[in-house]
Amino acid sequence: MTGPGTPLVAANDLARHFDVSRPLLNRLLDGIPRQILRAVDGVSFGIRKGETLSLVGESGCGKSTVARLVVGLYRPSRGSVVFDGTDMAQLGSRAEAERVRRRFQMIFQDPYASLNPRWRVGRIVAEPIVVHGILSDPGAIRARVDELLVQVGLSPADREKFPHEFSGGQRQRISIARALSSNPEFLVCDEPTSALDVSVQAQILNLMKDLQRQLGLTYLFISHNLAVVYYISDRVGVMYLGRLVEVGDVRTIFGQPQHPYTRMLLDAIPDLEMSGRPRTPVAGEVPNPIDPPTGCTFHPRCPLATDRCRREAPVSRPAPTGAMVACHAVEEGRLPPR
Amino acid sequence: MTMAPDRTKLLEVRNLRVEFPMRRGTLVAVDDVSFDIAPGEVLGVVGESGAGKSMTGAAIIGLLEPPGRIAGGEIRLDGRRIDGLPYEKMRRVRGREIGAIFQDPLTSLNPLYTVGRQLVETILTHLDMSEKAARERALQLLQDVGIPAAERRIDHYPHQFSGGMRQRVVIALALSANPRLIVADEPTTALDVSIQAQIITLIKRLCREHGTAVMLVTHDMGVIAETADRVAVMYAGRIAEIGPVRDVISRARHPYTEGLMGSIPKIGEAGGRLAQIDGAMPRLSAIPKGCAFNPRCAKAFERCRAERPEPLTVDATDVACWLYDPAPAVRR
Amino acid sequence: MDALRRALDSDIYYSFRRSPVVMLSAVVTLLFFAGAIFAPWIAPQNPFDLRQVDLMDASLPPFWLPDGQAHFPLGTDTQGRDVFSTILFGSRISLLVGVFSVVFAMVLGIALGLVAGYAGGTIDAVIMRVADVQLSFPAILIALLIDGVARLVIPQELQHEIALYVLILAIGFSGWVQYARTVRGSCMVEKGKEYVQAARVIGRHPVAIMLQHVLPNVLGPVLVIATIHLAIAIITEATLSFLGVGVPPTEPSLGTLIRIGNNFLFSGEWWITVFPGIALVVMVLAVNLLGDWLRDALNPKLR
């Protein structure tokens, strides 16, 4: 049972390492060691019921890996995902796993790859209903599929069509209908609008917000687009090289960003208001995650870096704004006003 | 039909029409598009996928993918027609007078040669100078586009550069023969936000320094707002609105532009719903009669469904919308 | 009805209609299949029914030559059998062996390819190394080997009866590698796509994902290989039969007919071997052309 304070979903020190070594023979011949990519390296967060937590960061920061860890597509190398008090790694029987599994769903980025091209829309949307044995009568299933299609703004007649007959935005609606068909409480959305045009993106974002209100859904939302994140989120986590550098309420993160990386990201957003604010070009690029910098991984790009930053990885602590920030400069009060 | 060379216009596009003959009939990807670019000006061309913005760019640099072809209109560079030039002649214009930057920097670079060699070869093809001078120029270009330790990196291969650095090399390549116009098709789309900012600042600075005009094709209004002097908004192969960037962004005239601006989430605005345009851009095979936007337009009236709007000048902006026709119109 | 209308409207049908060579190949292939299936009803004589064969008709030339008779259009062999009829019955055996060995190779190859591609790791490595080893021997050698082993272990009296099945297994087994490699490759591509991940999130069993999601999406290239493989299988069968290790002479295939006729080539009765030879060439060519077209038609990059 979820109380008001306890999170519905929690990640505790979640980590996922990938072995990206060359094949054994090449390693022996060229004398190169094993290479481990720490895609996610110790990420903790909680998502309360009915809330949207967004993870934002540049490509390669591990945000999509977190999404896949949470839904169980990857097994964590360390740490755990707890869903409504149940540790996902400790699920015993298949029946128990099934019961938990139907309570969450995922929406993917590429609307052209996320639907089986050989299946009709009706079968795609009905798949979770059938697999979880929610309904068994074909008539009832069809009625439910129709209801779902209408709910996401499509028509019941679309049931008989194939995915290639739809535009990108409509396909994303089909994806959403499929995700909703098992009546889940929690949706993991991995860049659901980044392959769409802006006007279609607005339709999908509005739909997701409406559905959240109507159905009381909880979202984990992954995006690289800060404006989208601002629009959809209650809380925001900023990731850099496999770690969460700052987590907090959306207004706090966007209004009083603490971590130098968060500030840098916000400064890099193109200015639509044309206020003439010079956009601060950011120095440097994301380092190679196979061989990350020592200490705080952001130090080579950070204007506030000191010896301590180069030596010692910072721990996440509450900042005066209420956000959790992993930064020595914030902790030491060296942060310049913005 | 000869036009007097107009010094205020570097590029003139008149009634450009690009067609794709398909087996089920001809698709019109670009339909009656006209615009100019002045020397040193940055023209943004913005639109959603399928609007015809990339096709317009490709037609100008003579790189339309077959079976696409220019079916009408003319393109003039400095008063000289460049559409329909034979391949060899067009190749000389491209590179010497028009530089090109594409979305994916990897496809613009040959993975088998060092970036230095590619730059030197491009310079020698288009400019009359010694190999030594060309290499010096290549080095200078790499420094100009902000590649650190350029003396060393000039002998590196493309795969040794990161995505952002590669795009810088492509920009250096596009600038190598000192072209008067650069056509940049989604130059920042494949890059991360923080790198995007660097590349945009770079393009702006270089164009100012070299006096190069830019046609910047993108779907990102933010990039346009930061970079362009004027902007053309395209919809279903036609220009809906073209004018100074400030006017188009803050006082959009065309209902489509207005909807497009409203659908962009903005940081700092209170939550609630985004303005949305219902429906989707029509497929090229089913472009509606009259104004292509009319089925999605809340302000559409009789005439929009029957008659195709011609560009009408409102202040400094040209809008293809019947709402702005001063003639007494039959409105509901 | 709806499906038919869609098929007639498809790009593949369009490219089919635009190529006369392909349409001709399809007609020829269809004629061979029809001839093979309906041989007992359309052949002028059943050459293996001794009551219908008369030794007096032996070694008659085709009808347009002197001594030729109209009811033996392509002449007769040295035992008085009608060559045209033996070709019809022979292609029946050739196509039977060809089709069933292709089906066997296809099922085996798809199954192993799916498992290798989906499971990855050690299982994948083992299956693909076996495939590599097999690929380093010519297919005909593998078939010969299996055929030889079968002859060793199967009792003499059964050999004639099951020779056909042994042949099918031998030829089928020599051809599974192509399918496995292609299916594995496509499977690895499809596996990474988000619709498969979506099915995993729902909690579907890996076998269900393989059969319902991945398999339908990798069948395109398999169809192409199967068509081209059919031609190869028919040739392999003919080769084996020509070498005398194929089907027994009591049920001759085209290859057997060519071998038998070969003995009379220099005694003047050329028609006994030449007509089955032409039939084989035309059949294989037609199937091959069809396969080539299908490969191009299904590959959007070549269109």
Side-chain angles (χ1 to χ4, degrees), chain C residues 89-102:
Chain C
F89 277 86
S91 15
R92 192 178 160 89
I93 302 290
S94 288
L95 281 173
L96 183 87
V97 173
V99 167
F100 280 96
S101 54
V102 163

Side-chain angles (χ1 to χ4, degrees), chain A residues 264-329:
Chain A
M264 192 188 94
L265 274 185
L266 287 173
D267 285 343
I269 303 170
D271 180 15
L272 255 186
E273 304 302 311
M274 314 209 31
S275 56
R277 166 175 69 84
R279 189 168 160 183
T280 328
V282 183
E285 298 188 14
V286 182
N288 184 354
I290 293 175
D291 184 22
T294 55
C296 171
T297 48
F298 186 61
H299 83 249
R301 301 172 77 184
C302 183
L304 308 174
T306 59
D307 268 343
R308 186 181 173 207
C309 301
R310 284 180 266 277
R311 243 185 8 251
E312 187 187 325
V315 183
S316 216
R317 289 174 209 280
T321 56
M324 295 289 287
V325 184
C327 176
H328 293 311

Side-chain angles (χ1 to χ4, degrees), chain B residues 23-24, chain C residues 11 14:
Chain B
R23 94 172 149 95
R24 273 176 238 271
Chain C
D11 289 342
Y14 177 73

